[in-house]
PDB file of all heavy atoms in Angstrom:
ATOM      1  N   GLY L   7      13.508  30.688 -76.935  1.00 65.00           N
ATOM      2  CA  GLY L   7      12.529  30.677 -75.876  1.00 65.00           C
ATOM      3  C   GLY L   7      11.817  32.019 -75.629  1.00 65.00           C
ATOM      4  O   GLY L   7      11.147  32.151 -74.625  1.00 65.00           O
ATOM      5  N   GLY L   8      11.970  32.936 -76.543  1.00 79.00           N
ATOM      6  CA  GLY L   8      11.256  34.202 -76.372  1.00 79.00           C
ATOM      7  C   GLY L   8       9.775  34.080 -76.348  1.00 79.00           C
ATOM      8  O   GLY L   8       9.025  34.903 -75.825  1.00 79.00           O
ATOM      9  N   TRP L   9       9.255  32.965 -76.958  1.00 83.00           N
ATOM     10  CA  TRP L   9       7.785  32.734 -76.973  1.00 83.00           C
ATOM     11  C   TRP L   9       7.244  32.638 -75.552  1.00 83.00           C
ATOM     12  O   TRP L   9       6.095  33.079 -75.285  1.00 83.00           O
ATOM     13  CB  TRP L   9       7.467  31.453 -77.753  1.00 83.00           C
ATOM     14  CG  TRP L   9       8.150  30.242 -77.221  1.00 83.00           C
ATOM     15  CD1 TRP L   9       9.368  29.725 -77.628  1.00 83.00           C
ATOM     16  CD2 TRP L   9       7.659  29.385 -76.181  1.00 83.00           C
ATOM     17  NE1 TRP L   9       9.611  28.606 -76.839  1.00 83.00           N
ATOM     18  CE2 TRP L   9       8.641  28.367 -75.946  1.00 83.00           C
ATOM     19  CE3 TRP L   9       6.491  29.379 -75.352  1.00 83.00           C
ATOM     20  CZ2 TRP L   9       8.448  27.354 -75.024  1.00 83.00           C
ATOM     21  CZ3 TRP L   9       6.327  28.397 -74.419  1.00 83.00           C
ATOM     22  CH2 TRP L   9       7.339  27.394 -74.249  1.00 83.00           C
ATOM     23  N   LEU L  10       7.978  32.021 -74.695  1.00 83.00           N
ATOM     24  CA  LEU L  10       7.501  31.781 -73.287  1.00 83.00           C
ATOM     25  C   LEU L  10       7.296  33.120 -72.602  1.00 83.00           C
ATOM     26  O   LEU L  10       6.197  33.387 -72.019  1.00 83.00           O
ATOM     27  CB  LEU L  10       8.501  30.907 -72.527  1.00 83.00           C
ATOM     28  CG  LEU L  10       8.154  30.537 -71.069  1.00 83.00           C
ATOM     29  CD1 LEU L  10       6.872  29.776 -71.038  1.00 83.00           C
ATOM     30  CD2 LEU L  10       9.272  29.719 -70.493  1.00 83.00           C
ATOM     31  N   GLU L  11       8.312  33.940 -72.589  1.00 82.00           N
ATOM     32  CA  GLU L  11       8.193  35.265 -71.949  1.00 82.00           C
ATOM     33  C   GLU L  11       7.035  36.051 -72.618  1.00 82.00           C
ATOM     34  O   GLU L  11       6.285  36.669 -71.852  1.00 82.00           O
ATOM     35  CB  GLU L  11       9.538  36.011 -72.112  1.00 82.00           C
ATOM     36  CG  GLU L  11       9.476  37.381 -71.488  1.00 82.00           C
ATOM     37  CD  GLU L  11       9.600  37.425 -69.980  1.00 82.00           C
ATOM     38  OE1 GLU L  11      10.110  36.412 -69.437  1.00 82.00           O
ATOM     39  OE2 GLU L  11       9.224  38.458 -69.382  1.00 82.00           O
ATOM     40  N   ALA L  12       6.901  35.984 -73.918  1.00 88.00           N
ATOM     41  CA  ALA L  12       5.877  36.785 -74.642  1.00 88.00           C
ATOM     42  C   ALA L  12       4.498  36.342 -74.208  1.00 88.00           C
ATOM     43  O   ALA L  12       3.606  37.167 -74.013  1.00 88.00           O
ATOM     44  CB  ALA L  12       6.096  36.619 -76.088  1.00 88.00           C
ATOM     45  N   ILE L  13       4.239  35.036 -74.190  1.00 89.00           N
ATOM     46  CA  ILE L  13       2.928  34.499 -73.865  1.00 89.00           C
ATOM     47  C   ILE L  13       2.556  34.838 -72.447  1.00 89.00           C
ATOM     48  O   ILE L  13       1.417  35.350 -72.149  1.00 89.00           O
ATOM     49  CB  ILE L  13       2.833  32.980 -74.064  1.00 89.00           C
ATOM     50  CG1 ILE L  13       3.036  32.646 -75.564  1.00 89.00           C
ATOM     51  CG2 ILE L  13       1.548  32.418 -73.565  1.00 89.00           C
ATOM     52  CD1 ILE L  13       3.148  31.171 -75.840  1.00 89.00           C
ATOM     53  N   LEU L  14       3.480  34.587 -71.516  1.00 86.00           N
ATOM     54  CA  LEU L  14       3.222  34.859 -70.104  1.00 86.00           C
ATOM     55  C   LEU L  14       2.993  36.368 -69.785  1.00 86.00           C
ATOM     56  O   LEU L  14       2.076  36.695 -69.069  1.00 86.00           O
ATOM     57  CB  LEU L  14       4.328  34.288 -69.246  1.00 86.00           C
ATOM     58  CG  LEU L  14       4.331  32.765 -69.152  1.00 86.00           C
ATOM     59  CD1 LEU L  14       5.702  32.280 -68.560  1.00 86.00           C
ATOM     60  CD2 LEU L  14       3.215  32.273 -68.216  1.00 86.00           C
ATOM     61  N   GLN L  15       3.743  37.203 -70.420  1.00 85.00           N
ATOM     62  CA  GLN L  15       3.570  38.622 -70.221  1.00 85.00           C
ATOM     63  C   GLN L  15       2.209  39.094 -70.796  1.00 85.00           C
ATOM     64  O   GLN L  15       1.570  39.953 -70.236  1.00 85.00           O
ATOM     65  CB  GLN L  15       4.710  39.404 -70.833  1.00 85.00           C
ATOM     66  CG  GLN L  15       6.044  39.323 -70.102  1.00 85.00           C
ATOM     67  CD  GLN L  15       5.944  39.649 -68.574  1.00 85.00           C
ATOM     68  OE1 GLN L  15       5.150  40.548 -68.250  1.00 85.00           O
ATOM     69  NE2 GLN L  15       6.729  38.942 -67.722  1.00 85.00           N
ATOM     70  N   ARG L  16       1.856  38.478 -71.896  1.00 89.00           N
ATOM     71  CA  ARG L  16       0.535  38.853 -72.496  1.00 89.00           C
ATOM     72  C   ARG L  16      -0.600  38.359 -71.526  1.00 89.00           C
ATOM     73  O   ARG L  16      -1.572  39.041 -71.346  1.00 89.00           O
ATOM     74  CB  ARG L  16       0.361  38.158 -73.907  1.00 89.00           C
ATOM     75  CG  ARG L  16      -0.959  38.558 -74.521  1.00 89.00           C
ATOM     76  CD  ARG L  16      -0.936  40.006 -74.918  1.00 89.00           C
ATOM     77  NE  ARG L  16      -2.262  40.461 -75.361  1.00 89.00           N
ATOM     78  CZ  ARG L  16      -3.219  40.993 -74.572  1.00 89.00           C
ATOM     79  NH1 ARG L  16      -2.939  41.118 -73.282  1.00 89.00           N
ATOM     80  NH2 ARG L  16      -4.362  41.422 -75.057  1.00 89.00           N
ATOM     81  N   MET L  17      -0.392  37.196 -70.891  1.00 85.00           N
ATOM     82  CA  MET L  17      -1.376  36.675 -69.963  1.00 85.00           C
ATOM     83  C   MET L  17      -1.484  37.608 -68.743  1.00 85.00           C
ATOM     84  O   MET L  17      -2.582  37.860 -68.186  1.00 85.00           O
ATOM     85  CB  MET L  17      -1.046  35.249 -69.538  1.00 85.00           C
ATOM     86  CG  MET L  17      -1.202  34.225 -70.665  1.00 85.00           C
ATOM     87  SD  MET L  17      -0.617  32.598 -70.208  1.00 85.00           S
ATOM     88  CE  MET L  17      -2.018  32.072 -69.154  1.00 85.00           C
ATOM     89  N   VAL L  18      -0.323  38.072 -68.231  1.00 83.00           N
ATOM     90  CA  VAL L  18      -0.291  39.000 -67.147  1.00 83.00           C
ATOM     91  C   VAL L  18      -1.068  40.285 -67.424  1.00 83.00           C
ATOM     92  O   VAL L  18      -1.873  40.749 -66.658  1.00 83.00           O
ATOM     93  CB  VAL L  18       1.148  39.271 -66.702  1.00 83.00           C
ATOM     94  CG1 VAL L  18       1.178  40.441 -65.691  1.00 83.00           C
ATOM     95  CG2 VAL L  18       1.801  38.047 -66.071  1.00 83.00           C
ATOM     96  N   SER L  19      -0.784  40.873 -68.578  1.00 84.00           N
ATOM     97  CA  SER L  19      -1.413  42.094 -68.958  1.00 84.00           C
ATOM     98  C   SER L  19      -2.981  41.890 -69.157  1.00 84.00           C
ATOM     99  O   SER L  19      -3.769  42.744 -68.775  1.00 84.00           O
ATOM    100  CB  SER L  19      -0.802  42.689 -70.226  1.00 84.00           C
ATOM    101  OG  SER L  19      -0.963  41.825 -71.330  1.00 84.00           O
ATOM    102  N   GLU L  20      -3.325  40.722 -69.694  1.00 83.00           N
ATOM    103  CA  GLU L  20      -4.736  40.437 -69.856  1.00 83.00           C
ATOM    104  C   GLU L  20      -5.481  40.261 -68.536  1.00 83.00           C
ATOM    105  O   GLU L  20      -6.644  40.692 -68.387  1.00 83.00           O
ATOM    106  CB  GLU L  20      -4.854  39.154 -70.718  1.00 83.00           C
ATOM    107  CG  GLU L  20      -6.316  38.682 -70.920  1.00 83.00           C
ATOM    108  CD  GLU L  20      -7.111  39.713 -71.744  1.00 83.00           C
ATOM    109  OE1 GLU L  20      -6.624  40.271 -72.695  1.00 83.00           O
ATOM    110  OE2 GLU L  20      -8.288  39.889 -71.367  1.00 83.00           O
ATOM    111  N   ALA L  21      -4.748  39.625 -67.572  1.00 78.00           N
ATOM    112  CA  ALA L  21      -5.391  39.389 -66.293  1.00 78.00           C
ATOM    113  C   ALA L  21      -5.268  40.577 -65.345  1.00 78.00           C
ATOM    114  O   ALA L  21      -5.910  40.504 -64.286  1.00 78.00           O
ATOM    115  CB  ALA L  21      -4.761  38.186 -65.632  1.00 78.00           C
ATOM    116  N   ALA L  22      -4.584  41.610 -65.671  1.00 76.00           N
ATOM    117  CA  ALA L  22      -4.387  42.726 -64.825  1.00 76.00           C
ATOM    118  C   ALA L  22      -5.733  43.490 -64.507  1.00 76.00           C
ATOM    119  O   ALA L  22      -5.893  43.966 -63.425  1.00 76.00           O
ATOM    120  CB  ALA L  22      -3.299  43.702 -65.334  1.00 76.00           C
ATOM    121  N   LEU L  23      -6.554  43.580 -65.526  1.00 76.00           N
ATOM    122  CA  LEU L  23      -7.810  44.248 -65.330  1.00 76.00           C
ATOM    123  C   LEU L  23      -8.949  43.387 -65.839  1.00 76.00           C
ATOM    124  O   LEU L  23      -8.816  42.707 -66.864  1.00 76.00           O
ATOM    125  CB  LEU L  23      -7.820  45.598 -66.111  1.00 76.00           C
ATOM    126  CG  LEU L  23      -6.788  46.632 -65.667  1.00 76.00           C
ATOM    127  CD1 LEU L  23      -6.782  47.800 -66.688  1.00 76.00           C
ATOM    128  CD2 LEU L  23      -7.115  47.164 -64.293  1.00 76.00           C
ATOM    129  N   GLU L  24     -10.078  43.464 -65.179  1.00 78.00           N
ATOM    130  CA  GLU L  24     -11.205  42.629 -65.595  1.00 78.00           C
ATOM    131  C   GLU L  24     -11.921  43.294 -66.786  1.00 78.00           C
ATOM    132  O   GLU L  24     -12.329  44.461 -66.691  1.00 78.00           O
ATOM    133  CB  GLU L  24     -12.213  42.512 -64.451  1.00 78.00           C
ATOM    134  CG  GLU L  24     -13.383  41.550 -64.682  1.00 78.00           C
ATOM    135  CD  GLU L  24     -14.195  41.266 -63.497  1.00 78.00           C
ATOM    136  OE1 GLU L  24     -13.996  41.948 -62.442  1.00 78.00           O
ATOM    137  OE2 GLU L  24     -15.095  40.350 -63.581  1.00 78.00           O
ATOM    138  N   ARG L  25     -11.960  42.606 -67.882  1.00 83.00           N
ATOM    139  CA  ARG L  25     -12.510  43.104 -69.110  1.00 83.00           C
ATOM    140  C   ARG L  25     -13.440  42.094 -69.797  1.00 83.00           C
ATOM    141  O   ARG L  25     -13.318  40.860 -69.476  1.00 83.00           O
ATOM    142  CB  ARG L  25     -11.392  43.525 -70.082  1.00 83.00           C
ATOM    143  CG  ARG L  25     -10.473  44.618 -69.585  1.00 83.00           C
ATOM    144  CD  ARG L  25      -9.492  44.979 -70.639  1.00 83.00           C
ATOM    145  NE  ARG L  25      -8.447  43.946 -70.888  1.00 83.00           N
ATOM    146  CZ  ARG L  25      -7.569  43.957 -71.784  1.00 83.00           C
ATOM    147  NH1 ARG L  25      -7.444  45.005 -72.597  1.00 83.00           N
ATOM    148  NH2 ARG L  25      -6.687  42.986 -71.883  1.00 83.00           N
ATOM    149  N   PRO L  26     -14.369  42.529 -70.689  1.00 88.00           N
ATOM    150  CA  PRO L  26     -15.176  41.495 -71.326  1.00 88.00           C
ATOM    151  C   PRO L  26     -14.353  40.537 -72.159  1.00 88.00           C
ATOM    152  O   PRO L  26     -13.415  40.945 -72.796  1.00 88.00           O
ATOM    153  CB  PRO L  26     -16.036  42.411 -72.266  1.00 88.00           C
ATOM    154  CG  PRO L  26     -16.066  43.788 -71.649  1.00 88.00           C
ATOM    155  CD  PRO L  26     -14.706  43.905 -70.984  1.00 88.00           C
ATOM    156  N   GLY L  27     -14.730  39.286 -72.098  1.00 86.00           N
ATOM    157  CA  GLY L  27     -14.046  38.233 -72.831  1.00 86.00           C
ATOM    158  C   GLY L  27     -12.717  37.860 -72.236  1.00 86.00           C
ATOM    159  O   GLY L  27     -11.934  37.093 -72.814  1.00 86.00           O
ATOM    160  N   GLN L  28     -12.467  38.245 -70.956  1.00 82.00           N
ATOM    161  CA  GLN L  28     -11.174  37.976 -70.364  1.00 82.00           C
ATOM    162  C   GLN L  28     -10.949  36.434 -70.214  1.00 82.00           C
ATOM    163  O   GLN L  28      -9.885  35.900 -70.422  1.00 82.00           O
ATOM    164  CB  GLN L  28     -11.126  38.639 -68.970  1.00 82.00           C
ATOM    165  CG  GLN L  28      -9.742  38.402 -68.242  1.00 82.00           C
ATOM    166  CD  GLN L  28      -9.821  38.999 -66.866  1.00 82.00           C
ATOM    167  OE1 GLN L  28     -10.597  38.545 -66.026  1.00 82.00           O
ATOM    168  NE2 GLN L  28      -8.997  39.984 -66.579  1.00 82.00           N
ATOM    169  N   GLY L  29     -11.999  35.741 -69.732  1.00 80.00           N
ATOM    170  CA  GLY L  29     -11.876  34.317 -69.529  1.00 80.00           C
ATOM    171  C   GLY L  29     -11.538  33.560 -70.764  1.00 80.00           C
ATOM    172  O   GLY L  29     -10.680  32.677 -70.756  1.00 80.00           O
ATOM    173  N   VAL L  30     -12.129  33.871 -71.901  1.00 84.00           N
ATOM    174  CA  VAL L  30     -11.896  33.257 -73.157  1.00 84.00           C
ATOM    175  C   VAL L  30     -10.500  33.580 -73.600  1.00 84.00           C
ATOM    176  O   VAL L  30      -9.695  32.667 -74.068  1.00 84.00           O
ATOM    177  CB  VAL L  30     -12.907  33.743 -74.212  1.00 84.00           C
ATOM    178  CG1 VAL L  30     -12.497  33.156 -75.591  1.00 84.00           C
ATOM    179  CG2 VAL L  30     -14.274  33.278 -73.838  1.00 84.00           C
ATOM    180  N   ALA L  31     -10.057  34.807 -73.484  1.00 86.00           N
ATOM    181  CA  ALA L  31      -8.692  35.171 -73.922  1.00 86.00           C
ATOM    182  C   ALA L  31      -7.641  34.437 -73.102  1.00 86.00           C
ATOM    183  O   ALA L  31      -6.682  33.929 -73.662  1.00 86.00           O
ATOM    184  CB  ALA L  31      -8.505  36.740 -73.727  1.00 86.00           C
TER     185      ALA L  31
END
């Protein structure tokens, strides 16, 4: 189940700051 933690943490870091292409990512 490490995939779940990895995906969600990547989503959290992606959403932490507004950046170009954020919505697509």
Side-chain angles (χ1 to χ4, degrees):
W9 58 266
L10 181 60
E11 179 78 21
I13 295 172
L14 286 165
Q15 290 303 326
R16 183 67 190 92
M17 292 175 74
V18 168
S19 62
E20 179 62 42
L23 296 172
E24 189 171 8
R25 296 184 291 176
Q28 181 187 63
V30 174

